[in-house]
Amino acid sequence: MKASVGGYARATDLRHALDLLAASDGMGRVLAGGQSLIAALNMRLSSGDLLIDINSIDALKGVSLDGNRLRIGALTRHAEIANDPLVAQHAPLLRKATDLIAHAAIRNRGTIGGALAHADPAAEFPACILALDATIHVEGPDGPRDIPASDFFVDVFVTTINDGEILTAISLPMAEAEERQVIHELARRSGDYALAGVCLVRRAAGHRIVCISVGPRPELATAAMARLDAGDTDGAVAALRDALDPPSDTQATAAYRRHLVGVLLHRAIADLNGETA
Ligand SMILES: Cc1cc2nc3c(=O)[nH]c(=O)nc-3n(C[C@H](O)[C@H](O)[C@H](O)COP(=O)(O)OP(=O)(O)OC[C@H]3O[C@@H](n4cnc5c(N)ncnc54)[C@H](O)[C@@H]3O)c2cc1C
């Protein structure tokens, strides 16, 4: 089945995109890479939408340094993140995550802004940016707004972006000299969404752990982080399993996912320490 859309407009700049959204009477849908949106439209999950194509807006593209933070434009594609030297140096977790996202064709079109706005709890970037303590920058009719990653994800496919707002960029602290960032996940086949995954960051202030595909939204695993800060690996794994209430679905049972995150955390810790699990 093919999409039933109400119209298409190519925005020339951010102001134009915001004006189109404001005039769309609630039917405007921002079109970035289209890798999730077009699939949803093809399944007729909604119809009559006005597609507002932001792909020509250069101000939303690219990676740069902004003071002591790394800034990644919303329209930066997964494949660009995979190959960007600034990302590799200052946010290696995002670079590693791109190896685990879908297939080359999807990575060539999909954007980080689209992945975050889509807020699929099985996706890698939402968990990564929370683990990295990023800030999400949005712009709307009332001007720009900065949202900490910890306040951004609300539920499956739900964020705190308001109607009429567009995600413009994310920014994140540059990795410290001794910082380590790893991601481990298990998928049935290479390129599939993960059955479960773990992002682990170790910086001077302590560890940060965020899981993938184990709940409606990415969350910091604070109890496990405290155990790991205390040097208690087994305690961290037990705390992580205790804290989670993962879903059962056709891919995996809740019990299997709970077991799996413990295995993945063990692997991530070993990776962090330069060992093999
Ligand atoms: C077969 C397949 C396998 C996939 N596997 C994975 C995987 O393993 N891991 C993974 O993480 N992802 C996976 N994806 C999703 C892929 O990464 C998508 O690219 C991503 O989720 C959406 O990015 P997009 O740029 O294509 O957004 P779009 O599809 O264009 O948009 C997605 C949603 O976000 C909104 N939106 C987009 N950009 C903005 C913005 N700047 N401001 C406000 N709202 C915005 C849109 O209106 C829409 O609601 C897969 C997709 C497919 C088709």
PDB file of all heavy atoms in Angstrom, residues 85-114:
ATOM      1  N   PRO A  85      35.288  12.825  11.572  1.00  0.00           N
ATOM      2  CA  PRO A  85      36.416  12.746  12.512  1.00  0.00           C
ATOM      3  C   PRO A  85      36.129  13.403  13.863  1.00  0.00           C
ATOM      4  O   PRO A  85      36.632  12.937  14.889  1.00  0.00           O
ATOM      5  CB  PRO A  85      37.552  13.471  11.769  1.00  0.00           C
ATOM      6  CG  PRO A  85      36.915  14.208  10.642  1.00  0.00           C
ATOM      7  CD  PRO A  85      35.621  13.559  10.336  1.00  0.00           C
ATOM      8  N   LEU A  86      35.311  14.470  13.867  1.00  0.00           N
ATOM      9  CA  LEU A  86      34.988  15.110  15.156  1.00  0.00           C
ATOM     10  C   LEU A  86      34.147  14.178  16.021  1.00  0.00           C
ATOM     11  O   LEU A  86      34.331  14.093  17.239  1.00  0.00           O
ATOM     12  CB  LEU A  86      34.239  16.433  14.919  1.00  0.00           C
ATOM     13  CG  LEU A  86      35.045  17.576  14.310  1.00  0.00           C
ATOM     14  CD1 LEU A  86      34.145  18.776  14.010  1.00  0.00           C
ATOM     15  CD2 LEU A  86      36.184  17.993  15.247  1.00  0.00           C
ATOM     16  N   VAL A  87      33.211  13.476  15.391  1.00  0.00           N
ATOM     17  CA  VAL A  87      32.398  12.514  16.150  1.00  0.00           C
ATOM     18  C   VAL A  87      33.293  11.387  16.675  1.00  0.00           C
ATOM     19  O   VAL A  87      33.200  10.992  17.844  1.00  0.00           O
ATOM     20  CB  VAL A  87      31.260  11.941  15.275  1.00  0.00           C
ATOM     21  CG1 VAL A  87      30.530  10.822  16.010  1.00  0.00           C
ATOM     22  CG2 VAL A  87      30.290  13.044  14.871  1.00  0.00           C
ATOM     23  N   ALA A  88      34.176  10.882  15.827  1.00  0.00           N
ATOM     24  CA  ALA A  88      35.056   9.789  16.246  1.00  0.00           C
ATOM     25  C   ALA A  88      35.911  10.197  17.448  1.00  0.00           C
ATOM     26  O   ALA A  88      36.144   9.407  18.364  1.00  0.00           O
ATOM     27  CB  ALA A  88      35.946   9.370  15.075  1.00  0.00           C
ATOM     28  N   GLN A  89      36.351  11.452  17.450  1.00  0.00           N
ATOM     29  CA  GLN A  89      37.224  11.912  18.533  1.00  0.00           C
ATOM     30  C   GLN A  89      36.440  12.274  19.795  1.00  0.00           C
ATOM     31  O   GLN A  89      36.866  11.940  20.903  1.00  0.00           O
ATOM     32  CB  GLN A  89      38.017  13.136  18.054  1.00  0.00           C
ATOM     33  CG  GLN A  89      39.034  13.621  19.078  1.00  0.00           C
ATOM     34  CD  GLN A  89      39.817  14.840  18.583  1.00  0.00           C
ATOM     35  OE1 GLN A  89      39.668  15.252  17.430  1.00  0.00           O
ATOM     36  NE2 GLN A  89      40.642  15.390  19.439  1.00  0.00           N
ATOM     37  N   HIS A  90      35.313  12.955  19.638  1.00  0.00           N
ATOM     38  CA  HIS A  90      34.648  13.549  20.802  1.00  0.00           C
ATOM     39  C   HIS A  90      33.391  12.807  21.255  1.00  0.00           C
ATOM     40  O   HIS A  90      32.899  13.060  22.358  1.00  0.00           O
ATOM     41  CB  HIS A  90      34.304  15.012  20.502  1.00  0.00           C
ATOM     42  CG  HIS A  90      35.508  15.852  20.186  1.00  0.00           C
ATOM     43  ND1 HIS A  90      36.521  16.058  21.100  1.00  0.00           N
ATOM     44  CD2 HIS A  90      35.870  16.507  19.066  1.00  0.00           C
ATOM     45  CE1 HIS A  90      37.456  16.832  20.552  1.00  0.00           C
ATOM     46  NE2 HIS A  90      37.094  17.103  19.319  1.00  0.00           N
ATOM     47  N   ALA A  91      32.850  11.953  20.423  1.00  0.00           N
ATOM     48  CA  ALA A  91      31.651  11.189  20.810  1.00  0.00           C
ATOM     49  C   ALA A  91      31.709   9.814  20.143  1.00  0.00           C
ATOM     50  O   ALA A  91      30.839   9.456  19.350  1.00  0.00           O
ATOM     51  CB  ALA A  91      30.380  11.936  20.405  1.00  0.00           C
ATOM     52  N   PRO A  92      32.745   9.009  20.461  1.00  0.00           N
ATOM     53  CA  PRO A  92      32.919   7.733  19.762  1.00  0.00           C
ATOM     54  C   PRO A  92      31.724   6.790  19.913  1.00  0.00           C
ATOM     55  O   PRO A  92      31.512   5.929  19.065  1.00  0.00           O
ATOM     56  CB  PRO A  92      34.189   7.144  20.397  1.00  0.00           C
ATOM     57  CG  PRO A  92      34.437   7.931  21.657  1.00  0.00           C
ATOM     58  CD  PRO A  92      33.828   9.269  21.446  1.00  0.00           C
ATOM     59  N   LEU A  93      30.921   6.991  20.971  1.00  0.00           N
ATOM     60  CA  LEU A  93      29.743   6.134  21.144  1.00  0.00           C
ATOM     61  C   LEU A  93      28.807   6.252  19.940  1.00  0.00           C
ATOM     62  O   LEU A  93      28.248   5.245  19.477  1.00  0.00           O
ATOM     63  CB  LEU A  93      28.998   6.537  22.422  1.00  0.00           C
ATOM     64  CG  LEU A  93      27.826   5.661  22.814  1.00  0.00           C
ATOM     65  CD1 LEU A  93      28.289   4.251  23.177  1.00  0.00           C
ATOM     66  CD2 LEU A  93      27.054   6.264  23.986  1.00  0.00           C
ATOM     67  N   LEU A  94      28.630   7.464  19.433  1.00  0.00           N
ATOM     68  CA  LEU A  94      27.733   7.654  18.287  1.00  0.00           C
ATOM     69  C   LEU A  94      28.303   6.981  17.043  1.00  0.00           C
ATOM     70  O   LEU A  94      27.569   6.387  16.254  1.00  0.00           O
ATOM     71  CB  LEU A  94      27.508   9.152  18.027  1.00  0.00           C
ATOM     72  CG  LEU A  94      26.749   9.918  19.109  1.00  0.00           C
ATOM     73  CD1 LEU A  94      26.648  11.398  18.736  1.00  0.00           C
ATOM     74  CD2 LEU A  94      25.357   9.334  19.317  1.00  0.00           C
ATOM     75  N   ARG A  95      29.612   7.075  16.887  1.00  0.00           N
ATOM     76  CA  ARG A  95      30.236   6.415  15.732  1.00  0.00           C
ATOM     77  C   ARG A  95      30.048   4.905  15.816  1.00  0.00           C
ATOM     78  O   ARG A  95      29.665   4.256  14.837  1.00  0.00           O
ATOM     79  CB  ARG A  95      31.735   6.754  15.656  1.00  0.00           C
ATOM     80  CG  ARG A  95      32.299   6.669  14.253  1.00  0.00           C
ATOM     81  CD  ARG A  95      33.662   6.016  14.192  1.00  0.00           C
ATOM     82  NE  ARG A  95      33.691   4.651  14.684  1.00  0.00           N
ATOM     83  CZ  ARG A  95      33.131   3.609  14.083  1.00  0.00           C
ATOM     84  NH1 ARG A  95      32.451   3.747  12.962  1.00  0.00           N
ATOM     85  NH2 ARG A  95      33.220   2.401  14.605  1.00  0.00           N
ATOM     86  N   LYS A  96      30.280   4.349  17.016  1.00  0.00           N
ATOM     87  CA  LYS A  96      30.115   2.895  17.176  1.00  0.00           C
ATOM     88  C   LYS A  96      28.663   2.485  16.937  1.00  0.00           C
ATOM     89  O   LYS A  96      28.393   1.425  16.376  1.00  0.00           O
ATOM     90  CB  LYS A  96      30.554   2.474  18.586  1.00  0.00           C
ATOM     91  CG  LYS A  96      32.045   2.610  18.819  1.00  0.00           C
ATOM     92  CD  LYS A  96      32.404   2.340  20.288  1.00  0.00           C
ATOM     93  CE  LYS A  96      33.872   2.658  20.537  1.00  0.00           C
ATOM     94  NZ  LYS A  96      34.263   2.540  21.950  1.00  0.00           N
ATOM     95  N   ALA A  97      27.735   3.327  17.386  1.00  0.00           N
ATOM     96  CA  ALA A  97      26.309   2.989  17.244  1.00  0.00           C
ATOM     97  C   ALA A  97      25.913   2.860  15.779  1.00  0.00           C
ATOM     98  O   ALA A  97      25.055   2.041  15.426  1.00  0.00           O
ATOM     99  CB  ALA A  97      25.451   4.042  17.940  1.00  0.00           C
ATOM    100  N   THR A  98      26.524   3.669  14.916  1.00  0.00           N
ATOM    101  CA  THR A  98      26.112   3.632  13.504  1.00  0.00           C
ATOM    102  C   THR A  98      26.377   2.259  12.880  1.00  0.00           C
ATOM    103  O   THR A  98      25.672   1.864  11.953  1.00  0.00           O
ATOM    104  CB  THR A  98      26.833   4.711  12.667  1.00  0.00           C
ATOM    105  OG1 THR A  98      28.242   4.518  12.769  1.00  0.00           O
ATOM    106  CG2 THR A  98      26.455   6.097  13.118  1.00  0.00           C
ATOM    107  N   ASP A  99      27.370   1.526  13.399  1.00  0.00           N
ATOM    108  CA  ASP A  99      27.632   0.178  12.874  1.00  0.00           C
ATOM    109  C   ASP A  99      26.451  -0.760  13.128  1.00  0.00           C
ATOM    110  O   ASP A  99      26.325  -1.794  12.476  1.00  0.00           O
ATOM    111  CB  ASP A  99      28.867  -0.434  13.554  1.00  0.00           C
ATOM    112  CG  ASP A  99      30.150   0.269  13.154  1.00  0.00           C
ATOM    113  OD1 ASP A  99      30.147   0.958  12.118  1.00  0.00           O
ATOM    114  OD2 ASP A  99      31.151   0.124  13.888  1.00  0.00           O
ATOM    115  N   LEU A 100      25.618  -0.397  14.119  1.00  0.00           N
ATOM    116  CA  LEU A 100      24.552  -1.301  14.557  1.00  0.00           C
ATOM    117  C   LEU A 100      23.185  -0.892  14.005  1.00  0.00           C
ATOM    118  O   LEU A 100      22.192  -1.590  14.207  1.00  0.00           O
ATOM    119  CB  LEU A 100      24.498  -1.313  16.093  1.00  0.00           C
ATOM    120  CG  LEU A 100      25.808  -1.684  16.793  1.00  0.00           C
ATOM    121  CD1 LEU A 100      25.721  -1.425  18.295  1.00  0.00           C
ATOM    122  CD2 LEU A 100      26.139  -3.156  16.533  1.00  0.00           C
ATOM    123  N   ILE A 101      23.127   0.257  13.339  1.00  0.00           N
ATOM    124  CA  ILE A 101      21.833   0.762  12.853  1.00  0.00           C
ATOM    125  C   ILE A 101      21.566   0.259  11.439  1.00  0.00           C
ATOM    126  O   ILE A 101      22.260   0.637  10.480  1.00  0.00           O
ATOM    127  CB  ILE A 101      21.788   2.306  12.863  1.00  0.00           C
ATOM    128  CG1 ILE A 101      21.974   2.843  14.285  1.00  0.00           C
ATOM    129  CG2 ILE A 101      20.480   2.810  12.275  1.00  0.00           C
ATOM    130  CD1 ILE A 101      22.058   4.358  14.371  1.00  0.00           C
ATOM    131  N   ALA A 102      20.572  -0.575  11.306  1.00  0.00           N
ATOM    132  CA  ALA A 102      20.006  -0.942  10.005  1.00  0.00           C
ATOM    133  C   ALA A 102      21.078  -1.307   8.962  1.00  0.00           C
ATOM    134  O   ALA A 102      22.035  -2.006   9.279  1.00  0.00           O
ATOM    135  CB  ALA A 102      19.115   0.202   9.511  1.00  0.00           C
ATOM    136  N   HIS A 103      20.858  -0.844   7.724  1.00  0.00           N
ATOM    137  CA  HIS A 103      21.715  -1.207   6.590  1.00  0.00           C
ATOM    138  C   HIS A 103      22.189   0.072   5.892  1.00  0.00           C
ATOM    139  O   HIS A 103      21.659   1.149   6.139  1.00  0.00           O
ATOM    140  CB  HIS A 103      20.938  -2.091   5.614  1.00  0.00           C
ATOM    141  CG  HIS A 103      20.272  -3.235   6.295  1.00  0.00           C
ATOM    142  ND1 HIS A 103      20.954  -4.346   6.727  1.00  0.00           N
ATOM    143  CD2 HIS A 103      18.988  -3.400   6.701  1.00  0.00           C
ATOM    144  CE1 HIS A 103      20.126  -5.169   7.342  1.00  0.00           C
ATOM    145  NE2 HIS A 103      18.924  -4.624   7.340  1.00  0.00           N
ATOM    146  N   ALA A 104      23.140  -0.085   4.987  1.00  0.00           N
ATOM    147  CA  ALA A 104      23.781   1.088   4.377  1.00  0.00           C
ATOM    148  C   ALA A 104      22.761   2.037   3.744  1.00  0.00           C
ATOM    149  O   ALA A 104      22.860   3.259   3.894  1.00  0.00           O
ATOM    150  CB  ALA A 104      24.814   0.640   3.349  1.00  0.00           C
ATOM    151  N   ALA A 105      21.781   1.501   3.045  1.00  0.00           N
ATOM    152  CA  ALA A 105      20.815   2.375   2.351  1.00  0.00           C
ATOM    153  C   ALA A 105      20.060   3.243   3.358  1.00  0.00           C
ATOM    154  O   ALA A 105      19.805   4.427   3.103  1.00  0.00           O
ATOM    155  CB  ALA A 105      19.840   1.528   1.532  1.00  0.00           C
ATOM    156  N   ILE A 106      19.707   2.664   4.482  1.00  0.00           N
ATOM    157  CA  ILE A 106      18.967   3.416   5.509  1.00  0.00           C
ATOM    158  C   ILE A 106      19.896   4.415   6.190  1.00  0.00           C
ATOM    159  O   ILE A 106      19.521   5.563   6.439  1.00  0.00           O
ATOM    160  CB  ILE A 106      18.339   2.429   6.518  1.00  0.00           C
ATOM    161  CG1 ILE A 106      17.243   1.634   5.809  1.00  0.00           C
ATOM    162  CG2 ILE A 106      17.797   3.152   7.745  1.00  0.00           C
ATOM    163  CD1 ILE A 106      16.909   0.329   6.442  1.00  0.00           C
ATOM    164  N   ARG A 107      21.137   4.009   6.427  1.00  0.00           N
ATOM    165  CA  ARG A 107      22.099   4.935   7.062  1.00  0.00           C
ATOM    166  C   ARG A 107      22.448   6.103   6.131  1.00  0.00           C
ATOM    167  O   ARG A 107      22.804   7.180   6.587  1.00  0.00           O
ATOM    168  CB  ARG A 107      23.368   4.180   7.478  1.00  0.00           C
ATOM    169  CG  ARG A 107      23.131   3.151   8.573  1.00  0.00           C
ATOM    170  CD  ARG A 107      24.440   2.674   9.169  1.00  0.00           C
ATOM    171  NE  ARG A 107      25.244   1.909   8.235  1.00  0.00           N
ATOM    172  CZ  ARG A 107      25.202   0.588   8.094  1.00  0.00           C
ATOM    173  NH1 ARG A 107      24.358  -0.123   8.835  1.00  0.00           N
ATOM    174  NH2 ARG A 107      25.988  -0.032   7.236  1.00  0.00           N
ATOM    175  N   ASN A 108      22.343   5.901   4.829  1.00  0.00           N
ATOM    176  CA  ASN A 108      22.620   6.987   3.882  1.00  0.00           C
ATOM    177  C   ASN A 108      21.533   8.058   3.868  1.00  0.00           C
ATOM    178  O   ASN A 108      21.761   9.181   3.445  1.00  0.00           O
ATOM    179  CB  ASN A 108      22.771   6.439   2.459  1.00  0.00           C
ATOM    180  CG  ASN A 108      24.109   5.771   2.262  1.00  0.00           C
ATOM    181  OD1 ASN A 108      25.052   6.029   3.004  1.00  0.00           O
ATOM    182  ND2 ASN A 108      24.200   4.875   1.290  1.00  0.00           N
ATOM    183  N   ARG A 109      20.328   7.717   4.295  1.00  0.00           N
ATOM    184  CA  ARG A 109      19.212   8.676   4.284  1.00  0.00           C
ATOM    185  C   ARG A 109      18.810   9.110   5.694  1.00  0.00           C
ATOM    186  O   ARG A 109      18.448  10.265   5.912  1.00  0.00           O
ATOM    187  CB  ARG A 109      17.976   8.049   3.602  1.00  0.00           C
ATOM    188  CG  ARG A 109      18.083   7.851   2.111  1.00  0.00           C
ATOM    189  CD  ARG A 109      18.308   9.134   1.342  1.00  0.00           C
ATOM    190  NE  ARG A 109      17.288  10.151   1.612  1.00  0.00           N
ATOM    191  CZ  ARG A 109      17.421  11.431   1.289  1.00  0.00           C
ATOM    192  NH1 ARG A 109      18.497  11.856   0.678  1.00  0.00           N
ATOM    193  NH2 ARG A 109      16.473  12.298   1.571  1.00  0.00           N
ATOM    194  N   GLY A 110      18.795   8.180   6.644  1.00  0.00           N
ATOM    195  CA  GLY A 110      18.306   8.474   7.994  1.00  0.00           C
ATOM    196  C   GLY A 110      19.140   9.557   8.655  1.00  0.00           C
ATOM    197  O   GLY A 110      20.354   9.644   8.458  1.00  0.00           O
ATOM    198  N   THR A 111      18.477  10.405   9.447  1.00  0.00           N
ATOM    199  CA  THR A 111      19.154  11.522  10.113  1.00  0.00           C
ATOM    200  C   THR A 111      19.068  11.351  11.627  1.00  0.00           C
ATOM    201  O   THR A 111      18.130  10.725  12.139  1.00  0.00           O
ATOM    202  CB  THR A 111      18.478  12.854   9.744  1.00  0.00           C
ATOM    203  OG1 THR A 111      17.141  12.864  10.294  1.00  0.00           O
ATOM    204  CG2 THR A 111      18.404  13.047   8.233  1.00  0.00           C
ATOM    205  N   ILE A 112      20.025  11.975  12.310  1.00  0.00           N
ATOM    206  CA  ILE A 112      19.999  11.847  13.780  1.00  0.00           C
ATOM    207  C   ILE A 112      18.782  12.574  14.347  1.00  0.00           C
ATOM    208  O   ILE A 112      18.159  12.095  15.300  1.00  0.00           O
ATOM    209  CB  ILE A 112      21.325  12.326  14.417  1.00  0.00           C
ATOM    210  CG1 ILE A 112      21.340  11.943  15.902  1.00  0.00           C
ATOM    211  CG2 ILE A 112      21.557  13.830  14.214  1.00  0.00           C
ATOM    212  CD1 ILE A 112      22.693  11.989  16.557  1.00  0.00           C
ATOM    213  N   GLY A 113      18.407  13.708  13.736  1.00  0.00           N
ATOM    214  CA  GLY A 113      17.224  14.420  14.226  1.00  0.00           C
ATOM    215  C   GLY A 113      15.966  13.584  14.061  1.00  0.00           C
ATOM    216  O   GLY A 113      15.115  13.532  14.956  1.00  0.00           O
ATOM    217  N   GLY A 114      15.859  12.908  12.915  1.00  0.00           N
ATOM    218  CA  GLY A 114      14.696  12.042  12.682  1.00  0.00           C
ATOM    219  C   GLY A 114      14.657  10.893  13.668  1.00  0.00           C
ATOM    220  O   GLY A 114      13.597  10.550  14.207  1.00  0.00           O
TER     221      GLY A 114
END
